[in-house]
């Protein structure tokens, strides 16, 4: 019988909202006991004294690029990056080639994830065929194949009529719709936030209004159709205001923010570093403050990375030619701790909640909690550990991070999926 | 002061002292241009490459003449914009240039920040000869040189810049340059061509041309790209000319003896009337001559040659 005892840690329970000293006993991939001073006889023991023991982190927004763009990332390399970042489960977006708009691609992704055998990979299926924003996908079939949500991320649905029908149908099928909110005629040609910095740098801008108009539209459609709507990567104070007001009215809307959007502003673009080129773009000081406030008051439910790896060659070009996106899995927890927990924006429990139970609830997953009988998906965090980000050490194939050289505190030191240690920084395991 | 920079990427990051040094250095260079034999051995044995991804005979010729008068070898590489998008990347070209032993590379590129990328990649000095809507520092320096020559001092002057500010690298470089030297800058153009938050660059935004011209010492007209009308940025050429064209009547609102400037090439009858373009206030032709002097100054400072005998 395979057993592992996590000894001497402090357990973070985001459901109960507390942190308490306890050991956790894992037997055959499941949590068998949680409590103080557990003894288990013949058993491997991991010394987690001084560490936080949290439910396995879930990143509900990643791009793993397979099938189609394996030079950027594969499901295997993405899984390694997730494990190293402390994530035990990820949901991957469908903008692959072919697009994940049919059962075959969903099944392929699940099989590849199984082969990689590290973290749980939940596919998100396309909302419309080919993500072209025209015809609906076979949502019921996709759900049966294992899709946990629907999204045309990266290709915002321009037609309000198509979005309305997609939401009506998705509601019937019982899948949430994740929306990348971008009004394409307003964002066309833009490569960074439209404001003082775009004026000075002479780069075409993407106004905040391009995001906010679609947030408003999709909230109205969510209210009208009753379909749960999750707004991806919120970046502006205006979007926050719209979501806060919609939630107060009882609209079934949830939202996520990325670590880069709550950490950086458009000032980071100043030297044309293409690792700062993301969509939606990095916004202003005022927007960052609004995002933090929204995290603190619960308007924003989830922290997700929008992990978007690209090759060095693709990013090493003129700013306007570079593709959008940055890698986020391996810096996420450190940024959450350094930018939110240490300054007191979020308590440790609140931060963990936005990385575990909340995304699980939105996607309808059973993960995200620590309880007896559940899969032993666990992330061990050292809240004191500091490290300088060095992209050369990334497990991801992507090196496109604007955080190179930044010192982060609060890092994952071990990742356990179904009782198996898939990442271990340097914790002693005594067999 | 001594010159310490490797590159000239824009005026945003130059100090007033650095700008003054460039303008001062251009004075003896202009004197060379007045000689019967316009050639000094300052940069003998050095190679200046002009790399143009956007056609501009004017700017390229100005740089090539500047290099020639300083005895540098100059090589021209022109590439069409389409090859930027597919095929050889700027980085590939940069490696070729480095292998060829270029000492100074003059880059004109349709995309903002391309000179920054090049400067990071190669050991040669990089001079930005205009990048997208970002900066055009040599144009602004020759504008400042021309104004200083005519007015003596830049500090305290009122400068009006009129036209498509949104897409103008000339406007941005001039705003940085003139404000650093203590001038007041007003900008004016169609509301659709005023970029957001430009006031924070230290300028006053005027919606009416009359307001911008009132008491101006320098009136700088920008070229309007006629195809902007197709992009819906203004309703017609006729209305543009009516609201933002410089004619004799409007010019009368500026100070007597105000300078009229234009980076060229002009749309006569659109942004500027022929009688103003060729009138007594116009210094448009001198801008061209001064362009060579200023570019000689920059090649000299960046190319690391010996000072020419005055
Ligand atoms: Zn997106
Ligand atoms: Zn995404």
């Amino acid at each position: 019988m395979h057993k592992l005892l996590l000894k001497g840690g402090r357990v973070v329970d985001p459901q109960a909202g507390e942190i308490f000293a306890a050991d956790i006993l894992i037997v055959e991939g499941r949590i068998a006991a949680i409590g103080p001073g557990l003894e288990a006889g013949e058993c491997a023991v991991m010394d987690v004294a001084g560490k936080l023991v949290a439910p396995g982190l879930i990143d509900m927004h990643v791009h793993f690029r397979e099938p189609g763009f394996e030079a950027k990332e594969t499901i295997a390399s993405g899984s390694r990056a997730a494990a190293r970042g402390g994530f035990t489960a990820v949901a991957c977006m469908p903008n692959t080639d072919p697009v994940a708009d049919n059962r075959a691609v969903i099944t392929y992704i699940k099989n590849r994830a199984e082969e990689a055998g590290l973290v749980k990979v939940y596919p998100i299926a396309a909302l419309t065929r080919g993500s072209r924003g025209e015809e609906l996908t076979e949502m019921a079939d996709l759900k049966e194949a294992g899709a946990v949500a629907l999204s045309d991320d990266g290709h915002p649905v321009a037609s309000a009529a198509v979005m309305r029908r997609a939401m009506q149908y998705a509601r019937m099928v019982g899948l949430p719709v994740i929306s990348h909110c971008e009004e394409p005629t307003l964002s066309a040609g833009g490569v960074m936030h439209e404001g003082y910095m775009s004026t000075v740098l002479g780069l075409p801008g993407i106004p905040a209004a391009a995001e906010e108009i679609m947030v408003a539209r999709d909230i109205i459609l969510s209210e009208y159709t009753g379909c749960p709507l999750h707004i991806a990567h919120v970046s502006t104070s205006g979007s926050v205001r719209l979501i806060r007001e919609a939630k107060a009215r009882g609209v079934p809307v949830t939202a996520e923010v990325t670590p880069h959007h709550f950490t950086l502003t458009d000032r980071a673009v100043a030297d044309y570093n293409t690792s700062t080129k993301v969509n939606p773009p990095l916004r202003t000081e005022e927007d960052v403050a609004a995002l933090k406030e929204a995290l603190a008051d619960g308007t924003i439910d989830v922290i997700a990375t929008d992990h978007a790896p690209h090759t060095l060659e693709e990013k090493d070009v003129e700013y306007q030619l570079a593709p959008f996106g940055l890698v986020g899995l391996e810096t996420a927890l450190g940024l959450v701790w350094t930018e939110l927990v240490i300054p007191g924006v979020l308590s440790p429990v609140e931060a963990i909640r936005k990385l575990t139970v909340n995304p699980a609830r939105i996607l309808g997953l059973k993960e995200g909690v620590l309880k007896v009988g559940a899969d032993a998906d666990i992330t061990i965090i050292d809240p004191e550990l500091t490290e300088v980000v060095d992209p050369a050490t990334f497990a991801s194939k992507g090196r496109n991070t604007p955080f190179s050289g930044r010192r982060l505190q609060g890092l994952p030191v071990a990742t356990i999926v179904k009782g198996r240690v898939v990442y271990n920084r340097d914790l002693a395991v005594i067999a | 002061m001594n010159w310490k920079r490797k590159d000239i990427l824009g005026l945003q990051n130059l100090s007033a002292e650095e700008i003054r040094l460039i303008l001062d250095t251009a004075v003896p260079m202009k004197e060379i241009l007045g000689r019967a034999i316009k050639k000094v051995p300052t940069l003998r044995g050095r190679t200046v490459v002009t790399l143009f991804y956007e056609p501009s005979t004017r700017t390229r010729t100005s740089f090539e003449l500047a290099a020639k008068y300083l005895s540098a070898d100059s090589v021209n590489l022109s590439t069409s914009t389409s090859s930027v998008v597919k095929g050889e990347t700027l980085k590939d070209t940069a490696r070729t240039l480095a292998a060829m032993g270029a000492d100074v590379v003059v880059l004109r590129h349709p995309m903002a920040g391309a000179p920054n990328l090049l400067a990071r990649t190669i050991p040669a000095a990089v001079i930005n000869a205009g990048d997208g809507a970002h900066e055009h520092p040599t144009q602004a320096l020759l504008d400042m040189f021309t104004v200083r020559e005519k007015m003596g001092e830049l500090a305290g002057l009122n400068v009006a810049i009129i036209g498509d500010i949104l897409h103008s690298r000339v406007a941005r470089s001039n705003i940085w340059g003139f404000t650093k030297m203590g001038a007041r800058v007003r900008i004016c153009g169609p509301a659709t061509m005023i970029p957001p938050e430009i006031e924070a660059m230290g300028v006053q935004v005027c919606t009416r041309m009359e307001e911008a011209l009132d008491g101006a010492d320098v009136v700088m007209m920008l070229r309007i790209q006629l195809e902007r009308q197709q992009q819906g940025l203004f309703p017609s050429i006729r209305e543009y000319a009516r609201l933002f064209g410089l004619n004799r009547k409007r010019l009368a609102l500026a100070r007597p003896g105000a300078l009229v400037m234009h980076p060229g090439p002009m749309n006569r009858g659109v942004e500027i009337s022929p009688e103003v373009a060729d009138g007594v206030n116009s210094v448009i032709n001198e801008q061209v001559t001064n362009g060579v002097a200023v570019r000689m100054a920059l090649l000299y400072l960046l190319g690391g040659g010996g000072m020419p005998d005055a």
Side-chain angles (χ1 to χ4, degrees):
Chain A
M1 210 159 53
H2 183 263
K3 282 191 193 177
L4 176 64
L5 181 64
L6 306 179
K7 194 140 190 72
R10 287 184 298 139
V11 172
V12 184
D13 183 345
Q15 265 190 323
E18 54 190 40
I19 298 181
F20 50 90
D23 302 337
I24 293 184
L25 178 65
I26 301 163
V27 178
E28 293 296 338
R30 290 176 187 278
I31 295 176
I34 303 175
L38 293 183
E39 295 296 341
E42 279 294 288
C43 183
V45 177
M46 186 182 258
D47 176 12
V48 294
K51 312 290 190 284
L52 295 174
V53 180
L57 308 183
I58 301 169
D59 187 348
M60 68 178 290
H61 190 156
V62 302
H63 297 268
F64 274 1
R65 309 300 189 196
E66 188 181 358
F69 308 101
E70 288 81 359
K72 296 174 194 272
E73 191 85 290
T74 61
I75 290 167
S77 66
S79 296
R80 281 194 293 277
R84 194 167 173 273
F87 293 92
T88 58
V90 298
C92 58
M93 283 295 179
N95 60 337
T96 47
D97 184 18
V99 173
D101 63 358
N102 60 77
R103 178 181 277 268
V105 179
I106 298 291
T107 308
Y108 174 82
I109 291 167
K110 291 187 56 149
N111 290 344
R112 297 294 287 165
E114 199 71 33
E115 284 166 33
L118 291 168
V119 303
K120 297 174 178 174
V121 177
Y122 292 102
I124 296 169
L127 193 58
T128 65
R129 284 176 206 250
S131 289
R132 282 186 298 270
E134 290 157 10
E135 312 149 81
L136 306 189
T137 51
E138 294 176 337
M139 298 179 190
D141 196 41
L142 289 162
K143 185 183 183 185
E144 212 176 87
V148 294
L150 299 160
S151 180
D152 280 351
D153 183 40
H155 305 273
V157 180
S159 158
V162 170
M163 193 63 170
R164 173 235 175 127
R165 291 192 193 104
M167 289 175 85
Q168 285 177 310
Y169 203 88
R171 187 195 176 196
M172 175 189 85
V173 169
L175 284 177
V177 167
I178 302 175
S179 180
H180 169 126
C181 291
E182 178 184 343
E183 207 294 311
T185 65
L186 274 180
S187 63
V191 297
M192 69 175 294
H193 172 66
E194 181 171 292
Y196 175 72
M197 287 307 289
S198 67
T199 289
V200 166
L201 294 171
L203 288 171
I206 301 172
E211 174 172 317
E212 291 157 6
I213 285 169
M214 286 306 222
V215 169
R217 183 198 76 174
D218 289 353
I219 284 172
I220 290 166
L221 290 174
S222 166
E223 188 165 20
Y224 187 49
T225 61
C227 177
L229 168 72
H230 178 75
I231 297 175
H233 42 53
V234 171
S235 75
T236 80
S237 62
S239 297
V240 164
R241 212 161 46 232
L242 289 161
I243 294 162
R244 185 178 287 132
E245 190 260 351
K247 282 189 159 186
R249 223 172 45 240
V251 182
V253 59
T254 54
E256 76 192 23
V257 66
T258 72
H260 49 277
H261 285 112
F262 67 63
T263 303
L264 299 174
T265 68
D266 59 348
R267 300 208 164 256
V269 185
D271 64 351
Y272 299 93
N273 174 0
T274 56
S275 282
T276 64
K277 185 173 172 183
V278 280
N279 191 13
L282 302 172
R283 304 285 187 184
T284 67
E285 213 71 67
E286 186 220 331
D287 294 307
V288 169
L291 293 173
K292 287 182 175 167
E293 201 188 315
L295 277 162
D297 73 11
T299 302
I300 291 177
D301 310 83
V302 167
I303 296 165
T305 65
D306 197 3
H307 177 78
H310 292 290
T311 64
L312 215 58
E313 292 71 31
E314 290 170 295
K315 277 285 195 182
D316 213 359
V317 294
E318 295 86 334
Y319 202 86
Q320 280 170 262
L321 294 180
F324 289 100
L326 57 80
V327 287
L329 281 167
E330 292 166 83
T331 50
L333 186 61
L335 287 166
V336 168
W337 225 261
T338 308
E339 299 293 322
L340 302 177
V341 175
I342 293 170
V345 177
L346 292 179
S347 69
V349 171
E350 271 304 319
I352 295 301
R353 187 175 283 154
K354 290 179 199 294
L355 288 160
T356 56
V357 261
N358 289 359
R361 191 189 71 232
I362 292 161
L363 298 178
L365 307 178
K366 59 185 187 335
E367 286 84 356
V369 290
L370 286 181
K371 60 168 191 260
V372 173
D375 278 359
D377 294 351
I378 294 169
T379 301
I380 317 281
I381 299 165
D382 185 340
E384 304 300 326
L385 185 63
T386 71
E387 189 175 53
V388 174
V389 177
D390 176 7
T393 65
F394 284 175
S396 169
K397 287 193 177 187
R399 299 283 180 269
N400 46 310
T401 175
F403 298 112
S404 180
R406 190 179 276 243
R407 180 171 288 279
L408 300 179
Q409 182 185 335
L411 302 163
V413 288
T415 309
I416 301 169
V417 178
K418 286 190 182 175
R420 208 178 123 226
V421 181
V422 294
Y423 169 68
N424 184 358
R425 196 182 159 104
D426 49 19
L427 293 179
V429 182
I430 305 123
Chain B
M1 72 172 290
N2 287 321
W3 188 258
K4 292 200 181 67
R5 286 177 192 269
K6 170 179 163 284
D7 314 292
I8 293 278
L9 303 176
L11 295 195
Q12 184 188 3
N13 297 315
L14 289 194
S15 66
E17 289 69 45
E18 287 171 306
I19 292 172
R20 202 167 288 123
L21 175 65
I22 297 166
L23 299 182
D24 290 345
T25 309
V27 175
M29 297 300 172
K30 188 168 182 183
E31 188 271 323
I32 294 168
L33 290 179
R35 295 182 193 170
I37 296 166
K38 304 178 188 55
K39 204 162 182 99
V40 291
T42 310
L43 293 184
R44 186 182 291 147
R46 317 231 165 206
T47 305
V48 175
V49 178
T50 54
L51 177 57
F52 275 53
Y53 285 87
E54 216 177 50
S56 172
T57 314
R58 208 177 251 265
T59 304
R60 208 194 64 221
T61 310
S62 181
F63 269 108
E64 281 173 1
L65 283 175
K68 221 172 253 28
Y69 295 157
L70 295 176
S71 303
D73 297 315
S74 77
V75 181
N76 168 244
L77 292 174
S78 293
T79 322
S80 74
T81 309
S82 60
S83 72
V84 179
V85 182
K86 52 185 168 115
E88 197 182 20
T89 67
L90 182 59
K91 290 273 263 196
D92 292 334
T93 308
R95 285 185 200 104
T96 311
L97 292 172
M100 281 160 55
D103 298 294
V104 181
V105 178
V106 176
L107 176 66
R108 160 68 63 98
H109 200 284
M111 288 177 194
N116 303 59
L117 175 66
L118 188 64
R120 280 200 293 269
T121 312
I122 57 172
V126 173
I127 299 179
N128 179 3
D131 61 329
H134 177 218
E135 287 225 40
H136 193 350
T138 61
Q139 175 70 41
L141 287 164
L142 76 88
D143 290 341
M144 285 188 279
F145 182 86
T146 307
V147 173
R148 198 174 76 159
E149 206 175 41
K150 296 284 172 188
M151 303 286 203
E153 258 305 316
L154 299 177
L157 295 179
N158 289 315
V159 179
I161 306 178
I162 292 153
D164 179 1
I165 310 292
L166 179 62
H167 299 94
S168 178
R169 50 196 174 212
V170 174
R172 282 170 180 75
S173 284
N174 269 305
I175 289 168
W176 292 125
F178 275 101
T179 55
K180 270 181 216 274
M181 303 310 281
R184 284 182 292 272
V185 177
R186 292 178 208 149
I187 60 163
C188 181
T192 47
M193 293 179 159
I194 303 293
E197 297 175 53
I198 194 164
E199 294 88 346
M201 286 177 75
V203 301
Q204 187 195 335
V205 178
C206 302
T207 45
R208 289 174 55 252
M209 199 170 164
E210 285 71 17
E211 200 188 330
L213 290 176
D214 183 31
D217 299 287
V218 177
V219 183
M220 194 177 286
M221 301 307 297
L222 301 175
R223 176 181 168 79
I224 184 83
Q225 306 285 139
L226 302 177
E227 59 268 26
R228 302 283 181 219
Q229 192 200 330
Q230 268 96 62
Q231 294 162 19
L233 287 163
F234 61 90
S236 70
I237 307 289
R238 182 175 157 271
E239 178 149 305
Y240 183 89
R242 206 162 62 84
L243 293 181
F244 302 103
L246 184 66
N247 53 31
R248 208 157 20 176
K249 189 159 152 265
R250 283 213 171 112
L251 183 57
L253 297 168
R255 288 256 172 89
L259 305 181
V260 172
M261 311 185 86
H262 193 294
M266 289 179 277
N267 296 301
R268 286 169 188 263
V270 182
E271 71 261 5
I272 192 162
S273 71
E275 83 234 11
V276 171
D278 305 324
V280 290
N281 299 71
S282 171
V283 291
I284 294 168
N285 288 330
E286 279 152 283
Q287 284 176 273
V288 178
T289 311
N290 291 338
V292 180
V294 162
R295 287 168 180 130
M296 286 168 76
L298 287 173
L299 290 177
Y300 162 70
L301 290 170
L302 269 64
M307 187 63 186
D309 303 321

